Amino acid sequence: MVEHSGLDIMNKHSPSSSSGSSADSEKKLLSKLKVSLTKKFPQKNAETLSAQYGTNLLLIGVSVMLALAQHGPVVREEHLLTFITVLMLVQLVWMLCYMIRRERERSPLPERDAHAGTSWIRGGLTMLALLSLIMDAFRIGYFVGYHSCISAVLGVYPIIHALHTISQVHFLWCHIKDVIKKYETFERFGVIHAVFTNLLLWCNGVMSEAEHFLNNHRRRLTALGYVNLTTVEAEPQCNCSTSVCSMFSTSLYYLYPFNIEYHIFVSAMLFVMWKNIGRTLDHHTNHKRPTTRSSGLLLGPVLGLLALASSITVLVVYLIHVEKSVEMRQAAISMFYCYGVVMLACMCGASGAGLLIYRVEDWPMDTGQNPSRKLDSELLLGSSLGSWLMSWCSVVAVAAGQSSQSYRWTCLAYSLLLVLEKCVQNLFIVESLYRRRRDPSGNEDQSPATVPEIFSVAASMVPPYDGIINRTYETQDKRSLEGELPENRQVYSRKHSEVSLPVGHRLHVTPGKKRQILKNITSFLFMCNISLWILPAFGCRPQYENDLEQEIFGFGVWTTVLNVAIPMNLFYRMHSVASLFEVFRKV
Amino acid sequence: MVEHSGLDIMNKHSPSSSSGSSADSEKKLLSKLKVSLTKKFPQKNAETLSAQYGTNLLLIGVSVMLALAQHGPVVREEHLLTFITVLMLVQLVWMLCYMIRRERERSPLPERDAHAGTSWIRGGLTMLALLSLIMDAFRIGYFVGYHSCISAVLGVYPIIHALHTISQVHFLWCHIKDVIKKYETFERFGVIHAVFTNLLLWCNGVMSEAEHFLNNHRRRLTALGYVNLTTVEAEPQCNCSTSVCSMFSTSLYYLYPFNIEYHIFVSAMLFVMWKNIGRTLDHHTNHKRPTTRSSGLLLGPVLGLLALASSITVLVVYLIHVEKSVEMRQAAISMFYCYGVVMLACMCGASGAGLLIYRVEDWPMDTGQNPSRKLDSELLLGSSLGSWLMSWCSVVAVAAGQSSQSYRWTCLAYSLLLVLEKCVQNLFIVESLYRRRRDPSGNEDQSPATVPEIFSVAASMVPPYDGIINRTYETQDKRSLEGELPENRQVYSRKHSEVSLPVGHRLHVTPGKKRQILKNITSFLFMCNISLWILPAFGCRPQYENDLEQEIFGFGVWTTVLNVAIPMNLFYRMHSVASLFEVFRKV
C-alpha cells in the first residue's frame, strides 16, 4: 500500500480535522507532507526516477571507459574496476536484504510471473556463469603471478565478481519470477541498480574484447607489412612469478564471449523483473502451457548440425589462413562470404516457409499483457540495427569502391542477404511468440483432450483480437459464454475445422504436419544462429580484413561502426537462439 | 476489416467444402492462400515489417552519410541528396493517394485521436516550416549563382524539399489526428516511410550543421595558432554569377537550427499517427479538456523573460569574445559556465518546487491509453542520454585532468547541475503529464460547475489507479456507480475536501493558489528551456573550446561524443518546451 493515490489518507484525516486545534492540525500537515515525501510516489514517477538513476550509473561508467580508451596517463583500468566493484558490492548488499526480507514474510507467497525467466533460460545462464567463474579464477591466477607490480584492485575485482556471480545466479533461481508489490521503492532501485551494473559489466567485457581483437588485428597487419602501427596493450612491468601467466591471459579471451553473453542476458531478465514491479497479473494468461511433443523431428536438427559443423570448419580454416600470405588471406575471406551466402539463403528460406505456414493457418493472435515477450521482440529489432548498419555500409562500399577484390560481389550478396535474413527471421520469431497456442493434439484421435482447452480459451475473458476488434468474433465469443456450445465448437475446434476443410487433408498439411514442419524449421534456425554466433565470437570477422569498407569510410569510422555493431550482432544471435528455443517449446 | 484474424473466411468456406469436387477445392485453397498472403497480416506483424522497412531506409541514408564524412572522391553529396529526393517524392505520392482516398470516402468521418498533434503544436510547426521554405529559397539562389559548375541535383533538391514541406504541413493540419482502420497495410507503410524520411532529413541537417561548426572551429584554432588543420569544406570550382552567393551560404547556417527542429518534430508526430493505426480509441478518455484560466501569472513569465534576455546577451558576448585572444576566450568560457550554474540552479529549484506541490496534493494519476503522451515521456528520457553522457565526460575530465584553467571547478558544478536539472525537470514534466486533471474551478464559489465533471470522472470506467489497484478506491468507485452519491462526492469533490481540510486553508495553499504556482513554474521553465536551446543552436558550444575534455578523451572521441550529444540535447530542449506548453495548458 505504499504507492497508491493516497485518497484513504485524505479520508482518515477528514473526521479529526473538524475538531482539531490549530497547532495539532499544523503538526498533522507536516507529518502528512513527510509521509507524502517518503512514501507516496506514483508508479510512473518511481519508474522514471529509478530509470534515470540506472542510466546515469551506466553513463558514468561509459565515460570512464571512453577516457580509458585513450590510454592516457591519468585514467587507468584500476579506476574503472574500482567503480564496478563498488557497484557490485552495493548489488550484493541489496540482494541479501531482499532475500532476508522475503524470508521473514514467508507466509504470504508472492505472486509470480510465469513467463519471466523460464527454467531452461536459467539453466543456460548457470552454464554461462560457470564459465565466468573459471574466467575469474584465471584472473586471480594472473594477479597472483604479477602481484608485485600490478594494482591490488586487479586482485580484488575477480574475487568480488565471483561472489557476485554466485549470489546473482542464486537470486535468479529463487526470485526472478517475483512480482513485487510491497516496499516498492527499495526494490525498484535495487533491481534497476542490478540491471545497469550488469549492463556496465557487459560494456566492460565488450570493450576489453574489442581492444584485444584490434590489437591482434594491428599486429597481424604489421606482420603482413601493411602498416606499422604500434600496439598499445599494457603489459605488466615485471616478470611473472609463476609459469602459467601467459596461459591465463591467452585463455581469458576464449572465455570472454560467454562472460559477455552472461551479463547481457542477466540484465534483460532483471529488466523484466523491474517492469513487473507493482504490476497486476492477469490470472487467465499467467500460466505456462506444457511443452508440445516433438515427434517427426529429423530433417531440421540434421541440417542444423550440418550447418554447425561446417561453421566450425570455416572458423578453423579462416583463423589459420588469415594469418598467412595476402593470397591465402583473400582466399579465406572469399570462402567466408561464399559460406555465408549459402547459410543465409537457407535461413531466409526456412523462416519464409515458417511465415507461409502461419499465413495458411487461421488462428488468432495472443494479445495478453506479457512484459517478457514484449521485451523479447523489442530487443530482437533493436539489436538488429547494428548489423543492418554494418551491412548497408558494406553495400555502399561495394557500390562506390573501385577495388578489384575477387570477393567484392559475394560480399554484396552476403550483406543484402544478411539484411533480408534478419528481417524475415524477426518476423517469424515475433509472429511465433504472439501466436495463441493451438491445442496440443493435432489429430482427430485425441479429440477428447481438446475440449477443455477450447473452453479455457473461450472463457479467458481476453478478447482474441489482432489490434482492431473483430466484431463477428467477439459476438461468437459472447454467445459461447451463454452456452451455445455447438457453434462455439465449430469455430474453435481444430478437429472440426479439419473435417470441414478436406482440402487440407488431401494436400497432407494437417495441423500436426504443420507443427512438425514448424518444429523442424525452428530447430534448424536455432542451430544456424548458434553457428553465426560462434564465428564472430571466436575471431572470424572478415569485416576488419576485407579492405573494402576501410577504403570508403576510413579506418577510424569503420572501426567505430564495427566496435558498436559486432557486439550488438553477437547479442542478436544469442537472443534469437533463446527466442527460437521458446518458439520450439511453444509451437 | 483487412487485418483481422480471418475466422470469418474459415466460416465462409466450411459449408461449400463439404460438397466441392477435388479440382474446385484445390483452386479454393490456392485462392485462400492468395487472400491470406495479400491481406491477412496480423497487426503485430505488419508493425514489425513496416518498422523494419523504415529503419533500413534510415540506415542506408546513414551509411551514405558516413561515407560522405570521409570526403572521398567517390561518394559525393549529390548521391545522398538524390536518395533523399527520391524518398521525398515517394512520400509526396503517398500523401496525395491518401488524401484522394480520404476525399472519396468522405461520408463516414474517421475517428480522431484528440491527443495527437494539438493545434498549437501544428501552429509552431508551420512557423518552422516557413523558415525551412526560406532556407530552400536561399539554396535555390545559391544554385542559380553556381549553376555552371555544381550538380543539377543541388538545384532539384531544394525545389522538391519546398514542395515536400508545403504538402506535409497541409497533411499534418488535415490528417495527423486520423486513426486509420481501413486499408491499413498501405497506410502503415506510407506513414512509417514519412517518419523515416523526416528522420533522415534531420540526420542530414545535423550532419551539415556539425560539419560547418567543426570547420569554423578548426579555422578559429588555426587563427589562434593552436593547430594547423586544413579545412575540408567543399567550395564550388567556379565564381558565383550573382553577387549574393556568399550571403546565401552564410544565412543558411542561421536557418539550419529551425529546419532541424522542424523535421524531428514532424517525425515524432507522424510516429504517433503510426502508433494509432488500427487502435481502438477509448471514448471516455479521448477528449481534450479545455484550457485552464491563467490568472495571477506574473513572477514566472517575468523571471523567464529575464533569463531569456540574459541568455541572448551571453550568446552575443561569447561569440564575439571567443574569436579573440586566448585570455578573452577563457574569460568568455568562464562567463558561460557561471551563467549556466545560476540558470540551472534556478531551474532545479523551480522543478523541485513543482514536484513538492504535487507531493502535498493528493490527486490520482491518469492511466488511460495515450500513445502521444507515452512517446513524449520516452523521448524526454531518451534525448536526455546524450547530454548526460556529455556531462559525465566533463566530470571525469575535471576529476582526472591536471590543467589549471580558471573555469575548471565551475565546469564541474555546471556539469553536475546539468544532470540534476534534467532529472528533476523530467520528473516534473512526466508527473504533470500523467496527473489526472483537477476540476477547472478551484474555488468554492464556482461549485455548481464541478458536479458534472465529478460524475464524468466517476463514470469513465477507467479505474483510477497508479499501477497497483487500490482496493479501497475501487470499492468506492463501484459504490458510487450504485448511486451512493454523498460518499462519492466526499471523495472526489475538491470543494468538499477543502472544507474537511481547513489546515490547507490556514496556510493559504488552496488548489487555486497551487495551480497559480504551478503555472508560474511552468512558464519560467518554458522560457529557460528556450534560452538553453538558443545558446548551442547558434554556436555557443564551450564544450569544443574549453580543452578540458580533449586532453583526457582526445580530439576524435570527444568530437564524436559532442556530435551525437549536442543534437540530442537541442532536441531535448525543444521537446521539453513543447511538453511544458502542454503542461501549462493542462495544470
Side-chain angles (χ1 to χ4, degrees):
Chain A
M1 298 303 254
V2 179
E3 293 196 354
H4 58 66
S5 55
L7 275 167
D8 48 354
I9 294 180
M10 201 189 258
N11 286 338
K12 260 180 257 153
H13 279 266
S14 35
S16 64
S17 57
S18 55
S19 62
S21 71
S22 161
D24 255 15
S25 53
E26 268 181 35
K27 206 180 274 174
K28 255 173 218 157
L29 180 77
L30 278 178
S31 74
K32 197 186 134 201
L33 183 63
K34 206 174 141 200
V35 168
S36 333
L37 282 180
T38 49
K39 299 217 165 160
K40 275 197 308 110
F41 287 99
Q43 165 129 353
K44 191 72 206 172
N45 250 27
E47 267 182 21
T48 312
L49 191 61
S50 58
Q52 288 185 347
Y53 162 74
T55 319
N56 279 298
L57 273 193
L58 179 68
L59 290 176
I60 295 174
V62 169
S63 54
V64 176
M65 277 180 209
L66 285 177
L68 205 61
Q70 278 313 102
H71 300 281
V74 194
V75 182
R76 285 193 312 276
E77 208 188 349
E78 291 94 276
H79 299 128
L80 181 62
L81 293 185
T82 312
F83 179 64
I84 298 180
T85 308
V86 171
L87 292 188
M88 286 194 293
L89 283 174
V90 172
Q91 192 191 333
L92 276 174
V93 171
W94 175 78
M95 287 194 294
L96 204 69
C97 290
Y98 180 85
M99 286 193 274
I100 290 173
R101 202 179 242 183
R102 266 287 131 91
E103 204 61 23
R104 266 195 210 148
E105 58 191 36
R106 189 192 286 265
S107 45
L109 258 174
E111 277 193 275
R112 293 172 80 83
D113 178 0
H115 302 287
T118 42
S119 60
W120 60 267
I121 220 176
R122 281 177 288 168
L125 271 181
T126 314
M127 286 294 297
L128 291 174
L130 281 176
L131 291 167
S132 284
L133 285 177
I134 298 175
M135 200 170 148
D136 286 325
F138 284 1
R139 275 211 182 110
I140 296 172
Y142 182 82
F143 172 75
V144 169
Y146 285 114
H147 68 100
S148 57
C149 61
I150 56 175
S151 165
V153 177
L154 292 171
V156 174
Y157 172 76
I159 295 172
I160 302 290
H161 188 263
L163 201 63
H164 177 260
T165 306
I166 295 167
S167 356
Q168 188 162 264
V169 168
H170 174 74
F171 181 82
L172 291 178
W173 274 100
C174 300
H175 297 290
I176 194 67
K177 286 170 179 290
D178 288 8
V179 175
I180 299 163
K181 300 206 168 183
K182 249 176 138 179
Y183 315 111
E184 297 180 20
T185 308
F186 173 74
E187 263 74 5
R188 211 186 291 276
F189 275 86
V191 176
I192 207 78
H193 178 92
V195 169
F196 281 95
T197 304
N198 278 288
L199 261 187
L200 193 57
L201 283 163
W202 175 73
C203 285
N204 187 31
V206 164
M207 200 194 63
S208 311
E209 209 276 330
E211 202 169 353
H212 175 75
F213 183 85
L214 268 179
N215 279 331
N216 269 353
H217 179 58
R218 285 208 191 91
R219 204 175 290 134
R220 199 181 294 156
L221 287 184
T222 317
L224 282 172
Y226 270 86
V227 278
N228 195 3
L229 296 160
T230 49
T231 56
V232 279
E233 210 151 17
E235 289 288 327
Q237 301 291 315
C238 56
N239 286 327
C240 181
S241 61
T242 63
S243 56
V244 284
C245 281
S246 64
M247 191 274 273
F248 282 148
S249 63
T250 317
S251 319
L252 265 183
Y253 291 98
Y254 290 99
L255 292 172
Y256 255 121
F258 303 108
N259 180 41
I260 290 172
E261 296 306 324
Y262 164 70
H263 285 300
I264 189 103
F265 263 83
V266 172
S267 327
M269 283 170 77
L270 286 167
F271 183 79
V272 171
M273 189 181 175
W274 180 72
K275 272 288 191 195
N276 273 336
I277 293 177
R279 186 178 150 215
T280 312
L281 287 181
D282 178 355
H283 288 283
H284 298 290
T285 56
N286 186 36
H287 48 82
K288 265 269 184 278
R289 302 279 173 86
T291 319
T292 50
R293 285 179 312 130
S294 3
S295 60
L297 199 64
L298 185 71
L299 197 65
V302 167
L303 287 177
L305 280 175
L306 200 69
L308 190 62
S310 62
S311 302
I312 293 173
T313 319
V314 166
L315 176 69
V316 173
V317 173
Y318 182 88
L319 287 182
I320 294 170
H321 281 217
V322 86
E323 301 269 5
K324 299 202 174 143
S325 69
V326 178
E327 287 76 40
M328 293 285 258
R329 196 155 156 257
Q330 297 220 345
I333 298 173
S334 279
M335 176 199 67
F336 174 85
Y337 282 126
C338 292
Y339 151 83
V341 167
V342 174
M343 190 87 172
L344 292 173
C346 293
M347 288 170 76
C348 281
S351 312
L355 280 175
L356 256 176
I357 290 178
Y358 283 131
R359 289 283 80 67
V360 177
E361 190 190 7
D362 304 311
W363 205 250
M365 300 292 270
D366 177 5
T367 52
Q369 216 200 348
N370 183 342
S372 178
R373 181 175 59 187
K374 189 161 176 280
L375 180 71
D376 274 350
S377 42
E378 280 172 4
L379 281 181
L380 272 182
L381 287 190
S383 58
S384 306
L385 287 181
S387 161
W388 281 335
L389 179 62
M390 201 164 79
S391 296
W392 287 118
C393 284
S394 298
V395 171
V396 168
V398 171
Q402 275 113 15
S403 62
S404 57
Q405 273 95 346
S406 57
Y407 45 76
R408 205 172 145 203
W409 299 108
T410 353
C411 175
L412 182 71
Y414 173 80
S415 306
L416 290 175
L417 272 172
L418 199 62
V419 174
L420 186 68
E421 182 264 328
K422 282 219 167 72
C423 284
V424 184
Q425 182 170 291
N426 286 347
L427 280 177
F428 175 67
I429 295 178
V430 170
E431 174 139 21
S432 305
L433 291 177
Y434 277 84
R435 280 262 154 171
R436 193 177 282 269
R437 260 284 285 279
R438 298 180 302 169
D439 50 294
S441 68
N443 298 323
E444 284 177 59
D445 326 85
Q446 290 153 306
S447 50
T450 66
V451 181
E453 180 79 351
I454 292 162
F455 292 155
S456 77
V457 170
S460 79
M461 301 304 285
V462 186
Y465 68 91
D466 308 355
I468 51 167
I469 289 176
N470 180 346
R471 299 287 163 201
T472 348
Y473 200 105
E474 212 181 26
T475 334
Q476 279 161 353
D477 220 21
K478 269 177 205 142
R479 255 187 246 151
S480 78
L481 287 173
E482 286 155 29
E484 289 183 44
L485 289 179
E487 186 168 352
N488 174 38
R489 196 179 283 180
Q490 189 179 353
V491 178
Y492 284 105
S493 165
R494 194 102 302 258
K495 171 193 156 202
H496 201 99
S497 76
E498 255 171 74
V499 174
S500 60
L501 275 172
V503 195
H505 253 325
R506 228 161 270 153
L507 290 177
H508 296 291
V509 274
T510 61
K513 257 260 152 53
K514 278 184 207 157
R515 202 176 64 216
Q516 264 186 29
I517 300 174
L518 284 176
K519 283 236 179 212
N520 276 302
I521 288 175
T522 314
S523 55
F524 173 67
L525 287 175
F526 177 85
M527 294 298 213
C528 287
N529 277 289
I530 292 184
S531 311
L532 292 181
W533 178 78
I534 288 177
L535 283 165
F538 293 97
C540 178
R541 299 177 184 178
Q543 296 87 356
Y544 279 98
E545 323 271 0
N546 67 12
D547 299 331
L548 286 170
E549 293 93 354
Q550 266 188 45
E551 194 186 309
I552 301 293
F553 296 96
F555 184 76
V557 171
W558 183 235
T559 311
T560 310
V561 169
L562 289 182
N563 282 346
V564 173
I566 287 181
M568 278 172 91
N569 187 37
L570 285 174
F571 173 63
Y572 173 83
R573 290 295 168 199
M574 253 310 165
H575 188 69
S576 54
V577 164
S579 304
L580 283 166
F581 194 79
E582 185 72 41
V583 170
F584 181 80
R585 288 166 53 96
K586 198 188 159 200
V587 165
Chain B
M1 298 306 250
V2 180
E3 293 197 354
H4 59 67
S5 54
L7 275 166
D8 48 354
I9 294 179
M10 200 190 259
N11 286 337
K12 259 180 258 155
H13 278 268
S14 34
S16 64
S17 57
S18 54
S19 63
S21 70
S22 162
D24 254 14
S25 51
E26 268 181 35
K27 207 179 275 172
K28 255 173 216 156
L29 180 77
L30 278 178
S31 73
K32 197 185 134 200
L33 185 62
K34 207 174 142 201
V35 167
S36 334
L37 282 178
T38 49
K39 300 219 166 159
K40 274 197 312 106
F41 288 99
Q43 165 128 355
K44 191 73 204 169
N45 249 27
E47 269 183 20
T48 312
L49 191 60
S50 58
Q52 287 185 347
Y53 161 74
T55 320
N56 278 299
L57 274 193
L58 180 67
L59 289 176
I60 295 174
V62 168
S63 54
V64 176
M65 279 180 207
L66 286 177
L68 206 59
Q70 278 314 102
H71 300 282
V74 195
V75 182
R76 284 192 314 275
E77 208 188 348
E78 290 94 275
H79 299 128
L80 181 62
L81 292 185
T82 312
F83 179 63
I84 297 180
T85 308
V86 171
L87 292 188
M88 285 195 294
L89 282 175
V90 171
Q91 192 191 332
L92 276 174
V93 171
W94 175 78
M95 287 194 293
L96 204 70
C97 292
Y98 179 85
M99 285 192 275
I100 290 172
R101 202 179 243 183
R102 266 286 129 91
E103 205 63 22
R104 265 196 213 148
E105 58 191 37
R106 188 192 287 267
S107 44
L109 260 174
E111 277 193 274
R112 294 172 80 82
D113 179 0
H115 302 286
T118 43
S119 60
W120 59 267
I121 220 175
R122 280 176 288 167
L125 271 181
T126 313
M127 286 294 298
L128 292 175
L130 282 176
L131 292 167
S132 284
L133 285 178
I134 297 175
M135 200 170 148
D136 286 326
F138 283 2
R139 275 211 182 110
I140 295 173
Y142 182 83
F143 172 75
V144 170
Y146 285 114
H147 69 101
S148 58
C149 62
I150 55 177
S151 165
V153 178
L154 291 171
V156 174
Y157 172 76
I159 295 171
I160 302 290
H161 187 264
L163 201 64
H164 177 260
T165 306
I166 295 167
S167 356
Q168 189 162 263
V169 168
H170 174 74
F171 181 82
L172 291 179
W173 274 99
C174 300
H175 297 291
I176 195 67
K177 286 172 179 290
D178 289 7
V179 175
I180 299 162
K181 300 206 168 183
K182 250 177 139 179
Y183 316 110
E184 297 179 20
T185 308
F186 174 73
E187 263 74 4
R188 212 187 290 277
F189 276 86
V191 176
I192 207 78
H193 179 92
V195 169
F196 281 94
T197 303
N198 278 287
L199 261 187
L200 194 56
L201 283 163
W202 176 73
C203 286
N204 188 30
V206 164
M207 199 193 65
S208 310
E209 208 277 331
E211 202 168 354
H212 175 75
F213 182 85
L214 268 178
N215 279 332
N216 269 353
H217 179 59
R218 285 209 191 91
R219 204 175 289 136
R220 199 182 293 158
L221 288 184
T222 317
L224 283 171
Y226 270 86
V227 277
N228 196 4
L229 295 160
T230 48
T231 56
V232 279
E233 211 150 15
E235 290 289 327
Q237 302 291 314
C238 56
N239 286 327
C240 181
S241 61
T242 64
S243 57
V244 283
C245 281
S246 66
M247 190 274 274
F248 282 147
S249 64
T250 317
S251 318
L252 265 184
Y253 290 99
Y254 291 97
L255 292 171
Y256 256 121
F258 304 108
N259 180 40
I260 290 172
E261 296 306 324
Y262 164 70
H263 285 299
I264 189 103
F265 263 82
V266 172
S267 333
M269 282 170 78
L270 287 167
F271 183 79
V272 171
M273 190 181 176
W274 180 72
K275 272 289 190 195
N276 273 337
I277 294 176
R279 187 179 150 214
T280 313
L281 287 181
D282 179 354
H283 287 283
H284 298 291
T285 56
N286 186 35
H287 49 83
K288 265 269 185 277
R289 302 279 173 86
T291 319
T292 50
R293 285 180 311 131
S294 0
S295 60
L297 199 64
L298 185 72
L299 196 66
V302 167
L303 287 178
L305 280 175
L306 200 71
L308 190 63
S310 61
S311 303
I312 293 173
T313 320
V314 166
L315 176 69
V316 174
V317 173
Y318 182 88
L319 287 182
I320 293 170
H321 281 216
V322 87
E323 300 270 6
K324 300 203 174 142
S325 70
V326 178
E327 286 78 39
M328 295 285 258
R329 196 157 156 257
Q330 296 220 345
I333 297 173
S334 278
M335 177 199 67
F336 175 85
Y337 281 127
C338 291
Y339 152 83
V341 167
V342 174
M343 189 87 172
L344 293 173
C346 292
M347 289 170 76
C348 281
S351 312
L355 280 175
L356 255 176
I357 290 177
Y358 283 132
R359 288 285 78 68
V360 178
E361 191 190 6
D362 303 312
W363 205 252
M365 301 291 271
D366 177 5
T367 52
Q369 216 201 350
N370 184 343
S372 177
R373 181 173 62 188
K374 188 161 177 279
L375 180 71
D376 275 350
S377 42
E378 279 171 5
L379 282 181
L380 272 181
L381 287 190
S383 59
S384 306
L385 287 181
S387 159
W388 282 335
L389 178 63
M390 201 164 79
S391 297
W392 287 118
C393 283
S394 299
V395 171
V396 168
V398 171
Q402 274 114 16
S403 61
S404 57
Q405 273 94 344
S406 57
Y407 47 75
R408 208 173 143 202
W409 299 107
T410 353
C411 175
L412 182 71
Y414 172 81
S415 306
L416 290 175
L417 272 172
L418 199 63
V419 174
L420 186 67
E421 182 264 326
K422 282 221 166 71
C423 284
V424 184
Q425 181 169 291
N426 287 345
L427 280 177
F428 175 67
I429 296 178
V430 169
E431 175 140 20
S432 305
L433 291 177
Y434 275 85
R435 280 262 155 173
R436 192 177 280 270
R437 260 284 284 280
R438 299 179 301 169
D439 51 292
S441 68
N443 299 323
E444 283 176 62
D445 326 83
Q446 290 151 307
S447 50
T450 66
V451 181
E453 180 80 350
I454 290 161
F455 292 156
S456 77
V457 169
S460 79
M461 302 305 284
V462 186
Y465 67 92
D466 309 354
I468 53 167
I469 288 176
N470 180 347
R471 296 290 162 200
T472 349
Y473 199 106
E474 213 182 27
T475 334
Q476 280 160 352
D477 220 22
K478 268 177 206 144
R479 257 186 244 150
S480 78
L481 288 174
E482 287 157 30
E484 290 183 41
L485 289 181
E487 186 168 353
N488 174 39
R489 196 177 283 181
Q490 189 180 353
V491 177
Y492 283 104
S493 166
R494 192 106 298 261
K495 172 194 156 201
H496 200 101
S497 77
E498 257 173 70
V499 174
S500 60
L501 274 172
V503 195
H505 252 325
R506 225 161 272 154
L507 289 177
H508 296 290
V509 274
T510 60
K513 257 262 154 49
K514 278 184 207 157
R515 203 177 63 215
Q516 264 187 28
I517 300 175
L518 284 176
K519 284 238 178 211
N520 276 303
I521 288 175
T522 314
S523 54
F524 173 68
L525 287 175
F526 177 83
M527 294 297 213
C528 287
N529 277 289
I530 292 185
S531 311
L532 292 181
W533 177 78
I534 288 176
L535 284 165
F538 292 98
C540 177
R541 298 175 184 180
Q543 296 87 354
Y544 279 99
E545 323 271 359
N546 67 13
D547 298 332
L548 286 170
E549 293 93 353
Q550 265 187 47
E551 194 186 311
I552 300 293
F553 295 97
F555 184 77
V557 171
W558 183 235
T559 311
T560 310
V561 169
L562 288 182
N563 282 346
V564 173
I566 286 181
M568 279 173 88
N569 187 37
L570 285 174
F571 174 63
Y572 174 82
R573 289 295 167 199
M574 253 310 163
H575 188 68
S576 53
V577 164
S579 305
L580 283 165
F581 195 79
E582 184 72 40
V583 171
F584 182 81
R585 288 165 52 94
K586 197 190 159 197
V587 166

